Amino acid sequence: MGKRNLYLKTIPVEEAQALYQDALKAIAVRRTEKIPVEESLGRMTAKAIYARCCSPLFNAAAMDGIAVIAKETAGATQENPLTLVRGKDYQIVDTGDPVHPPYDAVIMAEDLLEAEEDVVQIMEAASGWQHVRPIGEDIVAGEMLLPGGHKIRPIDIGVLLSGGILEVDVIKRPRVGLIPTGTEIIEPDKEPGEGDIIESNSRMFAAMTINYGGIPHRYAPVEDDYDKIKDAIKKAHEENDIVVVNAGSSAGTEDYTVHILREMGEVLVHGVAIKPGKPVILSIVDGKPVIGLPGYPVSAYIDFENFVRPVMDKMSGERHYAGHTVKAVLSKRLVSSLKHREYVRVKVGKVGDKLIASPLARGAGAAMSLVRADGFCVIDQNSEGVEAGETVEVELYRDIEEIEHTVVSIGSHDLILDFLADLMPLSYPGTFLSSTHVGSMAGLMALKRGETHIAPTHLLDEETGVYNVSYLKKLFPGKCMALIKGVKRIQGIIVQKGNPKGIRGIEDLTRVTYVNRQRGAGTRVLLDYRLKTAGIRPEEIDGYDKEAATHMAVAALVKNGGADAGMGIYSAAHAMDLDFIPVGEEEYDFAIEQESLELEEIKKFLEVLKSSAFAQKAREAGGYDISHAGEVARL
Amino acid sequence: MGKRNLYLKTIPVEEAQALYQDALKAIAVRRTEKIPVEESLGRMTAKAIYARCCSPLFNAAAMDGIAVIAKETAGATQENPLTLVRGKDYQIVDTGDPVHPPYDAVIMAEDLLEAEEDVVQIMEAASGWQHVRPIGEDIVAGEMLLPGGHKIRPIDIGVLLSGGILEVDVIKRPRVGLIPTGTEIIEPDKEPGEGDIIESNSRMFAAMTINYGGIPHRYAPVEDDYDKIKDAIKKAHEENDIVVVNAGSSAGTEDYTVHILREMGEVLVHGVAIKPGKPVILSIVDGKPVIGLPGYPVSAYIDFENFVRPVMDKMSGERHYAGHTVKAVLSKRLVSSLKHREYVRVKVGKVGDKLIASPLARGAGAAMSLVRADGFCVIDQNSEGVEAGETVEVELYRDIEEIEHTVVSIGSHDLILDFLADLMPLSYPGTFLSSTHVGSMAGLMALKRGETHIAPTHLLDEETGVYNVSYLKKLFPGKCMALIKGVKRIQGIIVQKGNPKGIRGIEDLTRVTYVNRQRGAGTRVLLDYRLKTAGIRPEEIDGYDKEAATHMAVAALVKNGGADAGMGIYSAAHAMDLDFIPVGEEEYDFAIEQESLELEEIKKFLEVLKSSAFAQKAREAGGYDISHAGEVARL
């Protein structure tokens, strides 16, 4: 075997953070700069700002009308109107005009009787300073406009300028150098070959850096070469306040980062009890923080949040919360190890009054799960897990307002869910569809537990030959249920282009390799039914136990040679340019409680199902009959 | 009188919004553009984005170790280890390396016994595809990565690139033309004279435009001239998607905007039942929205929120909520008129479990109240007001996280509150001090009602000569109270520079004009005590009924000739470069419930009070004795 580092020893997250923050105390300091107020939006004030002048700058009319001398209007009444002459007794003023001595009050235009040109009558005396905005009413010269440590908003820009301030001292944005490393890494604009990994982490880090108030500097990828990586770190170290090296932070044969950082400076931490994200390196090189992060996108993301963001915050004086924390009910049991703190990605939906958190894939490589998730459920290192139904804290990275306007769908998978998720926010900005694919039965169980608004389902009643209805009646006794009609779709066997194995139907599955769907999926129920009809036992099929979670995953496995055949829908075969042997048509509908039909978001969902935009997408995908889409059948 | 428009007729807010949105239906449409993924942070997808390639692109090792052929490892056990030879039976792989046929499984390095160079032993059989990330595990080519109408986040940039996407179709940002008008308006870099108003609204609008996803184009201020304003609107109309004219939207002699817009296009609304912000103009000129907004900063802000933002959202496909809405208990009765929907600025504090909303100044010109406030309490047009203690909805424009880490102070005013508000976030990022100035007594009552953490107070017990203690004992019977010692400060008479009226003490106040503090203010209690001692009746003092709310407001009035004298603290006189006749020293402390001393934020507040940074600021301001600052006296 090649040379490997000692296997990482890990320390708890807080300990690593505290140790590093402590070591950085004297180093990661705030620096300030002076910038024009007009360019200060979102910047943090470095110290209190005091007004240079008053606003208004002078006594000003607060109404359109005339400026008068209050004590000379005494005695005016309805019965005894007082006559005033322009230039002598009054001046015409519009709102905002100065009120000069000897004038000290304003009478509104509506309260005047015009006697003749430049002569008016008033029927009520004016009190001193009425309808006059005194100098400094809004801002007094010398008063504090903003404290230090304040993030400048639009209204702050307004009052700073009104208070005579043109420049402000703000805290400098930390510059973050980002170095991608790895011989297998290629830039995104190159065509990737086998063994290549498209560089994306440094772009993700750059965007995170911007979101956290820093200035990102990305460098070109560096191959796995001790000296080249060292040179790259040197250069980034000169040009930035913080350096992030990604990846090579683990203990493999080609993981040089930790050795280089030990040579260049001091490594304080190598390995943290966090999952995903264990192989993180926290070091200080010549007075600046240099951090090594692992390469898997989810690990990289979580470690940036936990170890780079706090260092940035220390320099920027800002305080970025990991996300708004909410309480949610966990929909599925989560087991975790005492060896680490685990960040489990969860989808969060609001169903009724409850927020529901549904765990997603936990692998460090599953970047899409981070895209699909709404937040993290953090399981403490001293916890072995959380039971379903328990209330957990979720760090949201999606707006709670968005979640509150999201239709939650848990159940069977179909490509039309993507079309609907696409069309919802485009048709009704601010409303969304979020779907989790667990199969028809599991979806209905989630609906029963109140964890979802709708449950897409295609379950065949073998006795009646009718889809879905009998399952709802059996599972929801005494409840007023409904089916939102979705599509009729063609199920069949997905095979490689040109059908090289000559598969003609179910009976041929015994002589090829197969990929199945997970237990409870309607497609699997259909297969089992057809196998039974054909008198074939599951054991006769090579791959019956190999499971994929979606139609697209099945199609992808066939495409890549992982299996010769798999059951699925036509549109998935079509999308992957595969061949398709039809087996039968089925009804894919959305189970729902009748009272949920009153929700605004569900009404919008129905509109989208009935829209011509949806019809067009379904037509393009092929294999769908949408003639009843959006109709509601109350059971 | 000059020519005035008819007085505005107003229509309800929703009606105005609906009418305008309806008229804009075919006009304010979303346009799209293609941009590089790397520059797409925060942009809104125009349509669904599908992956071009799989991730991983190949079957990849998920662990460091060796790639083997699973079925050839069958039979290996602890007792009967199997010997494998490099090149024939296995290949060395690091995490991420491709696993080529015939290899189909990975055994971890930790599970290997090294027999000799290039020969290893295994003690357990490998199952097919173990520790292998199959091609497309994360992303399947052809699968939807993001739906349309999705705001792109850092992680989305990562998966788009990993999925082989380099460019995305996003919705174009609306361009917003901003035209300041008014002969009295001057640019901020000019020295203002009497009658001038510093242009700040267009800068505030520009910042709001950026926050709401648009591109602002500011134009130079235009004087009140029909043709010049018309030309400016024409130009801005050509160059932008939305035009905002500010101000001249009312019905005064020089308010040309509505006439110009009637000539150029169609005015749909002039005047909305909203306070502040009534004189708004909603028009359509040649297929584009042109909006006239009033000049008072608070009106301008609220109208931009209510009438410009929705038009921007329509074009951008985004949905900007006015603010996160929270429920809070109102601390003070609010009376409103049935004539309009009113936006009352409120400070929001979290005391115990409750959010408390405290109303601030309601004038349209009080821009500083918008800076000091945390959100709006919106009183419906069909409501006459809200009683104290009722729960109201508040549209927050400050982060709830910030509010939850804010020490709430309600009570007497002193400049040191500014120093502390400045030092809190700078010393402890993410913690804040928010103070409302209502006088000592009103502050103690707020503390009693649980609306504040601390109540700054300086109330003299005339019998004992001791400050504060007796008031707490009397007002909080049976409660465990404490005083956080603040400062000893010098109270006195603030007079104009050089003391032109020759004021030497309280007895001289009878022959000058005076400005008093509001009822319940400690400074007023002190004055009353001194007047009584001197045998002077309040009626003998000209201006006893003229009230100002802070020391700085008193000083400003004296400075500007609004009064000859006013009682206040030395530092206020010093800050305004005025003269000061000392009257006596008093103790300015912070009343608090003992249990609140345990709060993290209060502990930080105490640290700041004891800090050398605070000491230095107090020294510079003058008139303070801080030798006991931060000490806690439990009563």
Side-chain angles (χ1 to χ4, degrees):
Chain A
M1 306 298 299
K3 168 188 147 198
R4 291 186 196 271
N5 296 325
L6 283 177
Y7 200 69
L8 301 185
K9 269 176 56 183
T10 62
I11 63 171
V13 180
E14 282 92 353
E15 202 180 303
Q17 286 170 333
L19 206 141
Y20 201 41
Q21 287 281 325
D22 202 54
L24 290 172
K25 198 168 272 175
I27 297 168
V29 292
R30 280 171 260 169
R31 290 184 182 82
T32 66
E33 61 184 333
K34 208 181 265 303
I35 61 168
V37 165
E38 294 188 15
E39 292 162 19
S40 67
L41 181 66
R43 299 298 296 274
M44 186 74 96
T45 55
K47 57 182 186 186
I49 304 167
Y50 292 87
R52 228 171 41 83
C53 59
C54 287
S55 173
L57 278 157
F58 47 91
N59 294 321
M63 291 285 178
D64 293 348
I66 59 171
V68 297
I69 302 157
K71 63 183 172 198
E72 296 189 357
T73 64
T77 63
Q78 201 93 30
E79 295 76 37
N80 271 317
L82 190 68
T83 301
L84 302 175
V85 178
R86 181 168 175 180
K88 187 173 87 65
D89 301 317
Y90 75 84
Q91 261 188 340
I92 292 179
V93 286
D94 272 333
T95 306
D97 286 347
V99 175
H100 288 282
Y103 302 114
D104 64 357
V106 167
I107 299 175
M108 287 195 289
E110 296 92 298
D111 295 338
L112 301 176
L113 271 183
E114 291 197 51
E116 54 188 280
E117 177 91 12
D118 293 339
V119 176
V120 297
Q121 290 192 315
I122 59 169
M123 283 158 297
E124 196 179 351
S127 58
W129 302 105
Q130 82 174 24
H131 303 318
V132 175
R133 292 184 67 207
I135 176 169
E137 185 194 54
D138 188 12
I139 297 170
V140 175
E143 95 172 290
M144 185 176 78
L145 294 174
L146 298 175
H150 175 91
K151 206 164 187 172
I152 296 175
R153 304 162 299 179
I155 180 65
D156 301 324
I157 291 177
V159 298
L160 288 171
L161 294 171
S162 297
I165 306 297
L166 294 171
E167 289 188 321
V168 276
D169 288 306
V170 296
I171 295 167
K172 264 193 167 173
R173 300 187 142 128
R175 287 161 304 169
V176 182
L178 303 165
I179 310 174
T181 73
T183 308
E184 71 284 10
I185 296 294
I186 60 158
E187 289 282 40
D189 57 355
K190 302 280 182 305
E191 201 54 41
E194 204 211 42
D196 288 342
I197 294 175
I198 297 172
E199 206 296 299
S200 64
N201 281 355
S202 78
R203 275 81 177 177
M204 176 178 75
F205 291 153
M208 294 174 90
T209 300
I210 291 169
N211 276 357
Y212 297 142
I215 301 169
H217 286 186
R218 278 196 308 101
Y219 294 89
V222 185
E223 61 186 281
D224 288 318
D225 176 289
Y226 193 97
D227 293 324
K228 286 184 181 159
I229 295 175
K230 189 173 159 188
D231 288 347
I233 295 177
K234 262 190 195 155
K235 184 171 156 61
H237 184 274
E238 272 167 32
E239 298 174 351
N240 297 279
D241 302 311
I242 303 172
V243 178
V244 174
V245 187
N246 181 236
S249 65
S250 192
T253 39
E254 292 182 338
D255 290 334
Y256 299 122
T257 312
V258 76
H259 305 293
I260 295 167
L261 294 178
R262 284 214 179 97
E263 188 198 323
M264 293 178 77
E266 186 189 2
V267 171
L268 290 105
V269 173
H270 186 205
V272 177
I274 186 169
K275 185 185 173 185
K278 182 173 75 172
V280 58
I281 305 168
L282 306 178
S283 83
I284 296 176
V285 174
D286 203 7
K288 288 182 180 173
V290 180
I291 298 173
L293 298 184
Y296 276 137
V298 182
S299 310
Y301 182 90
I302 290 173
D303 281 347
F304 194 98
E305 283 282 325
N306 275 285
F307 302 106
V308 182
R309 178 167 52 82
V311 178
M312 288 183 64
D313 279 0
K314 209 164 156 46
M315 291 185 180
S316 67
E318 301 191 18
R319 175 77 180 268
H320 291 98
Y321 299 88
H324 188 63
T325 300
V326 295
K327 287 192 192 307
V329 176
L330 197 66
S331 69
K332 210 165 83 181
R333 186 173 179 226
L334 276 180
V335 179
S336 185
S337 153
L338 293 177
K339 283 197 298 200
H340 43 243
R341 173 192 291 183
E342 187 170 357
Y343 283 74
V344 180
R345 283 138 273 169
V346 292
K347 258 188 179 304
V348 178
K350 185 158 194 182
V351 182
D353 287 340
K354 273 189 306 188
L355 285 176
I356 311 286
S358 307
L360 296 178
R362 292 164 83 170
M368 272 307 286
S369 71
L370 211 48
V371 169
R372 293 196 191 98
D374 303 311
F376 291 110
C377 172
V378 182
I379 305 182
D380 269 355
Q381 191 173 351
N382 57 17
S383 158
E384 292 191 292
V386 189
E387 295 300 319
E390 278 188 41
T391 296
V392 293
E393 297 226 319
V394 174
E395 289 178 7
L396 285 184
Y397 51 80
R398 185 168 162 224
D399 274 357
I400 184 78
E401 278 87 0
E402 289 194 14
I403 288 173
E404 287 174 349
H405 292 89
T406 296
V407 172
V408 180
S409 166
I410 301 181
S412 169
H413 173 248
D414 190 281
L415 291 193
I416 68 162
L417 291 171
D418 285 351
F419 305 158
L420 295 166
D422 180 33
L423 291 172
M424 281 283 284
L426 289 178
S427 310
Y428 300 98
T431 51
F432 305 89
L433 171 70
S434 149
S435 57
T436 307
H437 312 130
V438 296
S440 295
M441 275 307 283
L444 292 177
M445 299 316 292
L447 183 61
K448 204 173 155 77
R449 290 192 302 269
E451 291 168 6
T452 184
H453 295 119
I454 57 176
T457 176
H458 57 115
L459 289 168
L460 174 64
D461 185 333
E462 296 182 11
E463 288 174 24
T464 62
V466 174
Y467 270 88
N468 302 323
V469 176
S470 64
Y471 288 84
L472 259 69
K473 288 201 168 145
K474 199 160 51 193
L475 283 169
F476 298 86
K479 275 256 181 190
C480 293
M481 302 302 293
L483 276 173
I484 297 170
K485 298 305 288 177
V487 292
K488 285 190 187 161
R489 64 182 192 182
I490 302 171
Q491 284 268 16
I493 303 169
I494 299 171
V495 298
Q496 278 166 37
K497 189 83 179 172
N499 194 5
K501 301 274 167 145
I503 298 165
R504 283 152 308 158
I506 295 288
E507 55 286 357
D508 292 326
L509 295 183
T510 52
R511 57 176 179 80
V512 298
T513 57
Y514 185 76
V515 52
N516 207 349
R517 291 290 306 281
Q518 80 280 18
R519 209 173 295 271
T523 303
R524 181 159 170 159
V525 172
L526 181 64
L527 173 77
D528 291 346
Y529 174 62
R530 292 298 176 118
L531 289 179
K532 212 168 101 185
T533 314
I536 302 170
R537 280 171 301 114
E539 305 87 80
E540 294 177 55
I541 295 184
D542 178 10
Y544 183 88
D545 291 327
K546 188 171 188 175
E547 295 180 356
T550 67
H551 297 283
M552 283 298 275
V554 168
L557 268 164
V558 172
K559 179 91 182 178
N560 305 323
D564 297 322
M567 277 267 273
I569 52 177
Y570 172 78
S571 55
H574 181 66
M576 297 287 262
D577 194 24
L578 294 165
D579 275 4
F580 184 79
I581 295 102
V583 165
E585 202 183 48
E586 63 175 10
E587 290 172 41
Y588 179 89
D589 302 324
F590 303 95
I592 187 168
E593 289 191 31
Q594 285 191 22
E595 63 178 15
S596 299
L597 291 168
E598 299 308 312
L599 297 171
E600 276 313 307
E601 286 75 24
I602 293 292
K603 286 180 184 163
K604 289 173 181 166
F605 176 75
L606 289 177
E607 289 309 312
V608 172
L609 257 179
K610 289 186 262 187
S611 70
S612 57
F614 172 69
Q616 194 190 327
K617 278 180 182 280
R619 201 160 44 237
E620 284 166 12
Y624 293 113
D625 169 358
I626 58 154
S627 51
H628 296 283
E631 290 177 11
V632 175
R634 288 168 196 261
L635 307 183
Chain B
M1 305 298 298
K3 170 185 147 201
R4 291 186 197 270
N5 295 324
L6 283 176
Y7 200 69
L8 302 185
K9 269 174 60 184
T10 63
I11 63 171
V13 180
E14 282 92 353
E15 202 179 305
Q17 286 170 334
L19 205 141
Y20 201 42
Q21 286 281 324
D22 201 55
L24 290 173
K25 198 168 271 174
I27 298 169
V29 293
R30 281 172 260 171
R31 291 184 182 82
T32 66
E33 62 183 332
K34 207 180 266 304
I35 62 167
V37 166
E38 294 187 16
E39 292 162 19
S40 67
L41 180 66
R43 298 300 295 272
M44 185 75 98
T45 56
K47 57 182 185 185
I49 304 168
Y50 292 87
R52 228 169 42 82
C53 59
C54 287
S55 173
L57 278 157
F58 47 90
N59 295 320
M63 291 285 178
D64 293 349
I66 60 171
V68 296
I69 302 157
K71 60 183 173 197
E72 296 188 356
T73 63
T77 63
Q78 201 91 32
E79 296 75 37
N80 272 316
L82 190 68
T83 300
L84 302 176
V85 177
R86 181 168 174 178
K88 186 171 86 67
D89 303 315
Y90 73 85
Q91 262 187 341
I92 291 180
V93 286
D94 273 334
T95 305
D97 285 348
V99 175
H100 288 284
Y103 302 112
D104 64 355
V106 168
I107 299 174
M108 287 194 288
E110 296 90 299
D111 294 339
L112 302 176
L113 272 184
E114 291 196 50
E116 52 189 282
E117 177 91 13
D118 293 338
V119 176
V120 296
Q121 290 192 315
I122 58 168
M123 283 158 297
E124 197 179 351
S127 58
W129 303 106
Q130 81 174 25
H131 302 318
V132 175
R133 292 184 67 208
I135 175 170
E137 185 194 54
D138 189 11
I139 297 171
V140 176
E143 97 172 289
M144 186 176 78
L145 295 173
L146 298 176
H150 175 91
K151 205 165 188 172
I152 296 175
R153 303 161 300 179
I155 180 65
D156 301 323
I157 291 176
V159 298
L160 287 172
L161 294 171
S162 297
I165 307 297
L166 293 170
E167 289 189 319
V168 276
D169 289 305
V170 296
I171 295 167
K172 264 193 167 172
R173 300 188 143 129
R175 289 162 303 170
V176 182
L178 304 164
I179 310 173
T181 72
T183 308
E184 71 283 11
I185 297 294
I186 61 159
E187 290 281 41
D189 57 355
K190 302 280 183 305
E191 200 55 41
E194 203 213 41
D196 288 341
I197 294 175
I198 297 172
E199 207 295 301
S200 65
N201 281 355
S202 79
R203 275 81 178 176
M204 176 177 76
F205 291 153
M208 295 174 90
T209 300
I210 292 168
N211 276 356
Y212 297 143
I215 302 170
H217 286 186
R218 277 197 308 102
Y219 294 88
V222 185
E223 63 186 280
D224 289 317
D225 175 288
Y226 193 97
D227 293 323
K228 287 185 180 161
I229 295 175
K230 190 174 159 188
D231 288 346
I233 295 177
K234 263 190 194 156
K235 185 171 157 63
H237 184 275
E238 272 167 33
E239 298 173 351
N240 297 279
D241 302 309
I242 303 172
V243 178
V244 174
V245 187
N246 183 237
S249 66
S250 191
T253 39
E254 292 181 339
D255 291 335
Y256 299 120
T257 311
V258 77
H259 304 295
I260 295 168
L261 294 179
R262 284 213 179 98
E263 188 199 324
M264 294 178 76
E266 188 190 1
V267 171
L268 290 105
V269 173
H270 186 205
V272 177
I274 187 169
K275 184 183 175 186
K278 182 172 75 172
V280 58
I281 305 168
L282 306 180
S283 84
I284 295 178
V285 174
D286 203 9
K288 287 183 181 175
V290 180
I291 297 172
L293 298 183
Y296 275 137
V298 182
S299 309
Y301 182 91
I302 290 173
D303 281 346
F304 194 98
E305 283 282 325
N306 276 286
F307 302 106
V308 182
R309 179 166 52 84
V311 178
M312 288 183 64
D313 279 1
K314 208 164 158 46
M315 291 185 180
S316 67
E318 300 192 17
R319 176 78 179 266
H320 291 99
Y321 299 89
H324 189 64
T325 300
V326 295
K327 289 192 192 306
V329 176
L330 197 67
S331 71
K332 209 164 84 180
R333 186 175 180 222
L334 276 181
V335 179
S336 185
S337 153
L338 293 177
K339 282 197 299 197
H340 43 245
R341 172 191 289 183
E342 187 169 357
Y343 283 75
V344 180
R345 284 138 272 171
V346 292
K347 260 190 179 302
V348 177
K350 185 158 193 182
V351 182
D353 287 339
K354 272 188 308 188
L355 285 177
I356 311 285
S358 307
L360 295 177
R362 293 163 83 170
M368 273 306 286
S369 71
L370 212 48
V371 169
R372 292 196 191 101
D374 302 312
F376 290 110
C377 173
V378 182
I379 305 182
D380 270 354
Q381 191 173 350
N382 57 18
S383 158
E384 292 191 295
V386 189
E387 295 300 318
E390 278 188 43
T391 297
V392 293
E393 296 225 319
V394 175
E395 289 178 6
L396 284 185
Y397 51 80
R398 186 168 162 223
D399 274 357
I400 184 78
E401 279 87 0
E402 288 194 14
I403 288 174
E404 287 173 348
H405 294 89
T406 296
V407 171
V408 179
S409 166
I410 301 180
S412 169
H413 172 250
D414 190 281
L415 290 193
I416 68 161
L417 291 171
D418 285 350
F419 306 158
L420 295 166
D422 180 32
L423 291 172
M424 280 283 283
L426 289 177
S427 311
Y428 299 98
T431 50
F432 304 89
L433 171 69
S434 148
S435 56
T436 308
H437 313 132
V438 296
S440 295
M441 274 308 282
L444 291 177
M445 297 317 291
L447 184 62
K448 203 173 156 75
R449 290 192 302 270
E451 292 168 4
T452 185
H453 294 121
I454 56 175
T457 176
H458 56 114
L459 290 167
L460 174 64
D461 184 334
E462 295 184 12
E463 286 175 23
T464 62
V466 174
Y467 270 89
N468 303 323
V469 176
S470 64
Y471 288 84
L472 260 68
K473 290 201 166 145
K474 199 159 49 191
L475 283 168
F476 298 86
K479 275 258 182 190
C480 293
M481 303 301 294
L483 276 173
I484 298 171
K485 299 304 288 177
V487 293
K488 285 189 186 161
R489 64 182 193 181
I490 301 169
Q491 284 267 18
I493 303 168
I494 298 171
V495 299
Q496 278 165 38
K497 188 83 180 171
N499 193 4
K501 301 276 166 146
I503 297 165
R504 283 152 307 158
I506 295 289
E507 56 285 358
D508 293 325
L509 294 183
T510 51
R511 58 176 179 79
V512 297
T513 58
Y514 185 77
V515 52
N516 206 350
R517 290 292 305 283
Q518 80 279 20
R519 210 173 296 271
T523 303
R524 181 160 169 158
V525 172
L526 181 64
L527 173 77
D528 289 347
Y529 174 62
R530 292 299 177 117
L531 289 178
K532 212 169 99 184
T533 313
I536 301 171
R537 280 169 301 115
E539 304 87 78
E540 294 177 54
I541 295 184
D542 178 11
Y544 183 89
D545 291 326
K546 187 172 188 176
E547 294 181 357
T550 67
H551 297 283
M552 283 298 275
V554 167
L557 268 163
V558 172
K559 180 90 181 176
N560 305 324
D564 296 324
M567 277 269 272
I569 54 178
Y570 173 78
S571 56
H574 181 64
M576 297 287 261
D577 193 24
L578 294 165
D579 275 7
F580 183 80
I581 294 103
V583 166
E585 203 182 47
E586 62 176 10
E587 290 173 42
Y588 179 89
D589 302 324
F590 302 95
I592 187 170
E593 288 191 33
Q594 284 190 22
E595 62 178 17
S596 299
L597 290 167
E598 299 308 312
L599 297 171
E600 276 313 307
E601 287 75 24
I602 293 292
K603 286 179 185 164
K604 289 172 181 167
F605 176 75
L606 289 177
E607 288 309 312
V608 171
L609 257 180
K610 286 186 262 188
S611 70
S612 58
F614 173 68
Q616 194 189 328
K617 278 181 182 279
R619 203 163 40 241
E620 283 166 13
Y624 294 112
D625 171 357
I626 58 155
S627 52
H628 296 283
E631 289 177 11
V632 175
R634 288 168 197 260
L635 305 184

